[in-house]
Amino acid sequence: MSQPEEPRRSASPPPFDARAFLSQLTLEPGVYRMLGADGELLYVGKARNLRKRVSNYFLRASGDPRIESMVSQIARVEITVTHTEDEALILESNLIKELSPRYNIVYRDDKSYPYVRFTAHEFPRIGYYRGAKSGKDRYFGPFPSASAVRETLQTLQKLFRLRPCRDTFFANRQRPCLQHQIHRCSAPCTRLITQEDYARDVSNAVRLLEGKADELAKELAEDMETAAEALEFERAAKLRDQIAALKRVRENRAMTGGAEDVDVIACAPHASGSCVVVMSVRDGLNLGHRSHFPKHSAHAAPEELIESFLSQHYLDQPPPPEILVSHAPEDCEWLEDAIGRAAKRKVAIRRPQRGLKVRLMEMAQNTALQALSSRLVEAASMDARLLELQQALDLDKPPTRMECFDISHTRGERTVASCVVFNQDGPLKSAYRKFNIETRDSGLGTAESGTRDSGLGTREASTLGEVTSAGSLETSEGDVSSSARPALPESRLPSPESRPVITAGDDYAAIHQAVKRRFARAKSGESPQPDVLFIDGGLGQLNAALEALDEVGIENLRVVAIAKGPTRKPGLEELILPERELPLRLAPDSPALHLIQRIRDEAHRFAITGHRGRREKARLASDLESIEGLGPARRRALLKAFGGVAQLRRASLDEIARVEGVNATLAARIHAHFR
């Protein structure tokens, strides 16, 4: 009788042979990547000498629980040899940002720093700027935050009344705008100020940004006395106000201890999360600070946090000549050389020991501690909200990913669906999505038709929308309470053959289309699936979302509709669940309800931002679309030349004909169209 065959056991991969690997490892500089048995990237590191650096992990115990845990999981190590040490540093920084290894310290801050810009114009414009620099314009910064730039712009406008308007708006003004009436602009557009006087104001503003406030205040005081002696009391009063504002700026300069260009970097470490604060001083002015909360495992040393920040931050951002740190990194000289070569000038990294720079460091460290404390309190509050939400929605565990959909349109015009994402840390803005919904006119006003999108040409509007930035908060069109709308009849839902074009103003069909498009990607594995799906609206929106999920094949997903309730007052929201006949109402002071309100409001904001941008873009050129022979390129040229349709409507035939690409025949056709 034959014996039953024993089941085959899956062969486990052989343990990592560190000694054999180190024996053949090169002495050149490079980058090493440590991977686990399942191919997961554990750690990325750089080295001047690869054999010496990597051997430190295996030949002796580090005493660091984090390092010991990582080493025990290593299945293989991959090596990239570089020509120079600087190349290794740059490659390590890029890999960490791109791959986010589990045991590395990752700073998730991809935004470029903002600047104050003076345009190259006979009457230069001042404004907020973020992006690649143009050689003709003049830039001051970088500033640590957008609020610091806007505060500086407000100060410059109050002091020197420089124009903030765009060049197209400036070129077509016939009378001063509101900025002139509130004494924020000297109205160079209507020549209420000479070019020489305006240039002097621009020069004074530049000197202020260059840290020459003392010298400027002295000259303004002399000008004030001269104006008073000449009985020009209005001009003297203006100079007096400028001197008073400059005094406040000089006090701010005194707080920096006379430091010129320096960044002060302070670290507040914590096992569950740390904070790194960068306080920027430029030309003796304290421009404020920015807080960074890196992703890292427990027991990360503050020196390591500082070193990772320096290598990931200053290879992309311009460094000042001096960087003060609260904890000196191990490879300080290496970082100085690499950052200095990238900036093409010498950069010093040091820890302050005495004097006024120690006071700056103390200020930055106190700021870091306060920011970390607030972050930890917010995280504890978020944990409590998630636990209560788990109980309220009868979930197996606290949710780690929540999504919310909302619809926004104006009487059916330019419908946009938003999808916002929250996790344990709050909004996950990199995962936000918006969906442009195609609609056909149903008599609801200015609804769109077909795939026409912006008036500057046609494009496929059903393409998955891109991530966009924050905007203003309004009430969207897509929120309908359960008491206002009944269950969605099967006949109301569009058939698969008719999608993606739907009837304008049909919020049910818009929710159906957006949810189906989103979860088709989740079904194919292109994006993760949430633990909870919120739908802003009532029972009709809920039914539309559930049918979309059924069509895609998504099961066992908790779906909740958020209705405003009969009185539509905050705190009285109703949660509509598929298995409940009556809506669920949480207490007005419930932490779970506060979290749901926050997610719902963010979906409102994001939907309205997308809708308003799409609507305004379409309305900008709507009057030009019907003109024969006027394509997208020429429409853009006309709008750029005149600043808008209203200015084009008032233009003469000769002015239109002077626009590049517009001949006399087309100019006559455009001129006749508006008359």
Side-chain angles (χ1 to χ4, degrees):
M1 185 175 180
S2 60
Q3 296 293 330
E5 185 178 350
E6 294 185 1
R8 295 181 179 179
R9 298 180 180 178
S10 58
S12 59
F16 180 68
D17 190 347
R19 290 189 178 275
F21 176 79
L22 294 174
S23 64
Q24 53 81 40
L25 195 56
T26 179
L27 302 177
E28 298 294 321
V31 171
Y32 54 92
R33 295 180 293 278
M34 297 177 172
L35 297 96
D38 56 355
E40 178 191 6
L41 182 61
L42 301 176
Y43 187 79
V44 173
K46 63 184 180 301
R48 292 178 171 178
N49 183 320
L50 282 167
R51 181 188 297 177
K52 182 178 179 181
R53 181 72 182 94
V54 176
S55 64
N56 290 337
Y57 291 97
F58 301 101
L59 300 185
R60 61 175 182 271
S62 66
D64 187 339
R66 179 176 67 95
I67 300 299
E68 297 296 330
S69 174
M70 180 189 72
V71 171
S72 66
Q73 302 175 54
I74 294 175
R76 71 179 191 274
V77 179
E78 296 180 351
I79 297 296
T80 300
V81 179
T82 60
H83 293 94
T84 65
E85 299 170 358
D86 292 351
E87 288 183 11
L89 183 67
I90 295 172
L91 178 59
E92 180 207 35
S93 176
N94 293 335
L95 289 175
I96 291 174
K97 291 179 180 179
E98 179 181 355
L99 303 176
S100 299
R102 191 205 308 177
Y103 287 94
N104 277 101
I105 299 171
V106 182
Y107 288 85
R108 299 182 179 274
D109 186 16
D110 298 329
K111 283 189 176 180
S112 59
Y113 276 58
Y115 289 78
V116 170
R117 179 175 68 168
F118 289 75
T119 60
H121 191 276
E122 59 177 344
F123 292 97
R125 171 201 178 202
I126 61 166
Y128 174 99
Y129 184 78
R130 191 195 296 268
K133 296 180 182 179
S134 169
K136 297 181 180 179
D137 299 334
R138 193 167 184 179
Y139 302 88
F140 292 90
F143 287 76
S145 64
S147 59
V149 176
R150 295 190 178 99
E151 183 179 347
T152 301
L153 290 174
Q154 289 178 4
T155 301
L156 294 176
Q157 282 187 261
K158 291 178 182 179
L159 279 170
F160 307 111
R161 302 175 67 181
L162 304 179
R163 72 174 181 96
C165 59
R166 296 182 181 274
D167 291 348
T168 52
F169 184 85
F170 172 85
N172 292 279
R173 290 299 298 178
Q174 297 180 355
R175 60 180 181 178
C177 66
L178 181 62
Q179 291 291 326
H180 174 70
Q181 298 178 31
I182 62 175
H183 306 292
R184 294 291 186 272
C185 178
S186 54
C189 54
T190 56
R191 300 305 188 267
L192 294 185
I193 183 174
T194 65
Q195 185 174 353
E196 293 75 16
D197 291 341
Y198 190 85
R200 183 175 62 251
D201 290 338
V202 170
S203 176
N204 289 339
V206 168
R207 291 166 67 189
L208 175 61
L209 292 173
E210 290 177 343
K212 300 176 181 178
D214 296 340
E215 176 185 333
L216 179 59
K218 183 178 179 180
E219 291 185 8
L220 291 179
E222 294 175 355
D223 291 344
M224 182 182 67
E225 293 178 0
T226 303
E229 292 175 357
L231 303 182
E232 298 177 358
F233 299 116
E234 185 175 350
R235 182 168 178 268
K238 176 185 174 181
L239 292 170
R240 178 202 60 199
D241 296 339
Q242 290 182 346
I243 294 170
L246 282 174
K247 182 180 179 181
R248 292 190 292 271
V249 174
R250 293 159 71 190
E251 291 173 352
N252 190 359
R253 176 183 172 87
M255 293 174 59
T256 66
E260 290 296 327
D261 290 347
V262 63
D263 275 355
V264 186
I265 303 176
C267 175
H270 193 273
S272 59
S274 302
C275 177
V276 175
V277 162
V278 183
M279 188 170 67
S280 300
V281 178
R282 296 294 183 271
D283 295 314
L285 298 178
N286 188 347
L287 303 183
H289 72 277
R290 176 180 286 190
S291 299
H292 301 262
F293 300 94
K295 173 189 173 185
H296 64 83
S297 55
H299 309 293
E303 292 81 6
E304 188 178 0
L305 291 167
I306 294 289
E307 179 180 347
S308 298
F309 177 81
L310 293 173
S311 61
Q312 295 181 44
H313 180 77
Y314 286 112
L315 294 178
D316 296 330
Q317 303 296 336
E322 184 177 17
I323 301 174
L324 303 179
V325 294
S326 59
H327 300 79
E330 180 180 353
D331 296 320
C332 190
E333 294 182 1
W334 185 3
L335 289 169
E336 282 182 343
D337 294 339
I339 295 173
R341 287 194 182 95
K344 297 181 180 179
R345 56 184 170 84
K346 188 176 181 180
V347 175
I349 302 173
R350 57 174 61 95
R351 185 179 181 184
Q353 301 295 329
R354 64 182 67 85
L356 296 173
K357 292 181 180 179
V358 172
R359 290 174 52 192
L360 283 176
M361 180 57 68
E362 291 175 352
M363 187 189 308
Q365 285 184 307
N366 291 335
T367 303
L369 289 170
Q370 180 61 45
L372 177 62
S373 176
S374 300
R375 179 87 168 192
L376 295 176
V377 169
E378 183 179 352
S381 176
M382 190 68 173
D383 291 341
R385 294 179 180 184
L386 292 174
L387 285 172
E388 185 166 328
L389 185 63
Q390 174 194 358
Q391 298 174 359
L393 301 182
D394 194 22
L395 302 173
D396 296 334
K397 59 181 181 179
T400 58
R401 183 184 176 100
M402 298 156 286
E403 297 186 8
C404 183
F405 280 79
D406 189 23
I407 302 295
S408 181
H409 58 81
T410 303
R411 300 184 64 198
E413 179 189 6
R414 307 294 166 182
T415 303
V416 171
S418 69
C419 174
V420 301
V421 183
F422 276 61
N423 59 13
Q424 306 98 313
D425 299 324
L428 185 61
K429 294 192 175 184
S430 61
Y432 284 17
R433 293 292 181 269
K434 68 175 181 180
F435 303 86
N436 292 337
I437 306 297
E438 292 185 35
T439 60
R440 55 174 171 264
D441 196 355
S442 63
L444 294 176
T446 57
E448 60 199 288
S449 176
T451 59
R452 184 164 299 281
D453 186 75
S454 68
L456 302 179
T458 58
R459 64 176 180 176
E460 183 58 43
S462 63
T463 303
L464 188 64
E466 72 281 1
V467 180
T468 60
S469 59
S472 59
L473 180 62
E474 283 187 15
T475 304
S476 74
E477 299 287 339
D479 180 45
V480 180
S481 67
S482 60
S483 61
R485 286 189 175 176
L488 182 64
E490 294 293 331
S491 60
R492 286 291 310 281
L493 287 171
S495 63
E497 291 77 17
S498 65
R499 297 186 189 109
V501 179
I502 65 174
T503 301
D506 191 342
D507 292 345
Y508 300 146
I511 281 288
H512 182 281
Q513 183 185 136
V515 171
K516 186 173 182 179
R517 286 161 59 182
R518 157 67 182 95
F519 283 91
R521 297 173 63 89
K523 187 68 175 179
S524 63
E526 296 181 31
S527 60
Q529 185 171 312
D531 300 314
V532 182
L533 173 62
F534 292 106
I535 303 295
D536 183 54
L539 188 58
Q541 283 87 346
L542 177 64
N543 288 341
L546 290 174
E547 179 172 326
L549 293 173
D550 289 340
E551 293 178 5
V552 177
I554 299 294
E555 300 177 351
N556 302 322
L557 175 62
R558 168 57 81 187
V559 186
V560 183
I562 311 170
K564 287 185 181 294
T567 61
R568 302 179 66 84
K569 291 183 178 179
L572 300 180
E573 285 84 357
E574 298 177 345
L575 304 182
I576 305 175
L577 308 177
E579 71 276 9
R580 290 176 60 103
E581 293 185 4
L582 297 177
L584 173 65
R585 294 182 179 177
L586 302 179
D589 59 348
S590 166
L593 180 59
H594 294 166
L595 176 59
I596 293 173
Q597 289 172 334
R598 183 183 177 191
I599 298 173
R600 186 269 319 274
D601 292 343
E602 179 68 357
H604 274 325
R605 180 201 63 76
F606 193 60
I608 290 168
T609 301
H611 162 63
R612 292 176 67 188
R614 191 181 182 205
R615 181 190 64 191
E616 294 304 318
K617 189 177 181 181
R619 290 181 176 179
L620 183 65
S622 59
D623 285 349
L624 305 179
E625 293 180 16
S626 59
I627 301 177
E628 183 181 355
L630 191 61
R634 288 172 178 169
R635 288 202 295 268
R636 280 193 291 267
L638 286 168
L639 294 174
K640 184 177 180 180
F642 292 99
V645 176
Q647 291 82 356
L648 176 60
R649 185 180 289 111
R650 295 193 296 265
S652 66
L653 179 61
D654 293 338
E655 289 174 334
I656 298 174
R658 284 197 294 267
V659 176
E660 183 179 359
V662 178
N663 56 32
T665 302
L666 182 57
R669 191 179 301 150
I670 297 170
H671 189 263
H673 172 79
F674 290 113
R675 287 157 179 80

